Amino acid sequence: MIANYGYKDGAGEFYISIDTDKCLACDADRACLTACPKGMFEIITDDYDDEVAAVKQQFRRSLAYDCTACKPAGGYASLPCSSACTPGAIKHSW
Amino acid sequence: MITAGIDMGSRTVKVVFLEELKVEGAPQLKWGVKGKHMMFPDELDMDVAADKALADGLKEAGISREQVTRIVSTGAGRKQVRFADADVTEVSAGARGAVFMCPSAQTVVDVGAEEGRGVKANAEGRVVDFAGNEKCAAGAGAFAESMARALQLSLKEFGEASLRSDKSIPMNAQCTVFAESEVVSLIHSATPKEDIAKSVLDAVASRVCAMVRRVGIEGDVILIGGMVNNPGFVSSLKTSLGIDHINLPDMPEYVSALGAALIAADGRA
């Protein structure tokens, strides 16, 4: 399942997509949990009883602001969350 | 066996009872709806509202609490249903119910009072891809309701009025609050109510369409949730998505509760 967490507003589309099928056999040892400087990810049990990564509820309405520090202007060459997730489950829409 | 699904929506509480069928010569007919009930809660305590909705639903359907073997809750207030055996998100419940109602549908558009979302589902009603809008209320029914109030029309009149307009007035504001200001400006500039109604519903459809396009359109499209009852919105959504046909289920407000009852029957959650 591809879970899109986020929103679209007047400034654009701000979604973090997580391909939860890739979380099932995570060979990155759940690195997303520690890679995000703000700790935005959590592991949840979804409706199909699978343990998968998700964006915490409190961050889903403010991704444009919370993720700003990790974008190129913040000095990062690549996103820490996407880079740490070696199975390639995490993508940003912007 | 009878199972129940209870959808604790942001505006209404819906309950659906599902009965196992044993129809000779038709083994594919496994489940049938035994009863349904909708309630507008008049108190803030969602658990009290859930108790009342279940009790009223049981009474209406003529069944006892003991006959119901399993209950699954869904919706915004799903965690507050104390008597539920399990809870599932409205995304999974909506997809399961929608595919049960329309097996050829793979794209589910769910527009309720406070939230809209696009879901891609497989043939078993399992979610493959979903997108909602965690921030904006402008892609949901409450926005249309609030604009109808500003125009002093009932929701039914509002939907019908929009169908009489062939004008396309873009609504630029993304936010519900600013959009209301735009509507007030249109009223002051003596724009006909029909054109304003169409503009509002086009705006809602365009926001919903953005979420649907995010997951992609595959197979048939089915629209669930209270906005199915608004013919103006259905027409605007068809135009936004660029498709000729959208499947509109019977009892659209109950589809998520039905999905929860089916998940209870599957014993999955």
Side-chain angles (χ1 to χ4, degrees), chain B residues 1 12 28 47 72 78 81 86 92 132 134 139 149 161 173 181 184 186 197-199 211 220 232 235 245 250 259 264:
Chain B
M1 180 168 81
T12 55
Q28 73 276 20
D47 51 349
V72 169
R78 65 185 181 276
V81 183
S92 307
E134 304 277 352
R149 242 189 337 265
S181 301
V184 172
L186 290 169
K198 183 167 183 295
S199 167
M211 292 181 260
D220 283 355
S235 168
H245 178 70
D250 291 336

Side-chain angles (χ1 to χ4, degrees), chain A residues 47-69:
Chain A
D47 290 338
Y48 306 104
D49 287 335
D50 294 325
E51 286 198 349
V52 299
V55 177
K56 288 178 185 170
Q57 185 75 46
Q58 69 262 37
F59 294 108
R60 293 180 191 172
R61 293 180 182 185
S62 53
L63 295 182
Y65 308 102
D66 290 320
C67 294
T68 301

Side-chain angles (χ1 to χ4, degrees), chain A residues 12-48:
Chain A
E13 272 193 53
F14 304 97
Y15 284 96
I16 293 179
S17 302
I18 301 179
D19 184 344
T20 59
D21 292 342
K22 291 180 177 168
C23 292
L24 299 180
C26 177
D27 55 17
D29 201 20
R30 309 290 193 200
C32 55
L33 298 180
T34 49
C36 175
K38 292 205 169 178
M40 285 167 55
F41 294 93
E42 63 180 342
I43 300 297
I44 59 162
T45 303
D46 71 8
D47 290 338
Y48 306 104

Side-chain angles (χ1 to χ4, degrees), chain B residues 123-266:
Chain B
E124 286 79 44
R126 191 182 161 119
V127 179
V128 176
D129 196 341
F130 76 88
N133 195 330
E134 304 277 352
K135 195 176 185 180
C136 175
F143 172 54
E145 195 177 337
S146 142
M147 297 303 113
R149 242 189 337 265
L151 290 174
Q152 298 180 336
L153 295 173
S154 71
L155 262 179
K156 189 170 181 287
E157 291 165 341
F158 185 69
E160 288 167 356
S162 80
L163 290 174
R164 292 194 293 273
S165 167
D166 55 3
K167 281 198 181 153
S168 184
I169 305 171
M171 185 152 291
N172 299 313
Q174 289 279 338
C175 168
T176 309
V177 178
F178 293 121
E180 186 157 10
S181 301
E182 277 197 51
V183 168
V184 172
S185 299
L186 290 169
I187 293 169
H188 290 165
S189 62
T191 307
K193 283 184 178 180
E194 288 82 1
D195 295 341
I196 301 175
K198 183 167 183 295
S199 167
V200 167
L201 293 174
D202 283 349
V204 177
S206 127
R207 283 147 182 75
V208 172
C209 181
M211 292 181 260
V212 178
R213 293 218 178 279
R214 178 133 208 95
V215 301
I217 298 175
E218 259 179 46
D220 283 355
V221 178
I222 182 170
L223 175 64
I224 63 172
M227 286 295 273
V228 173
N229 298 320
N230 189 319
F233 173 71
V234 175
S235 168
S236 294
L237 188 61
K238 276 187 208 166
T239 308
S240 284
L241 292 173
I243 54 176
D244 299 327
H245 178 70
I246 295 179
N247 292 285
L248 306 175
D250 291 336
M251 53 178 226
E253 304 93 336
Y254 294 92
V255 175
S256 291
L258 170 68
L262 285 162
I263 289 168
D266 295 341

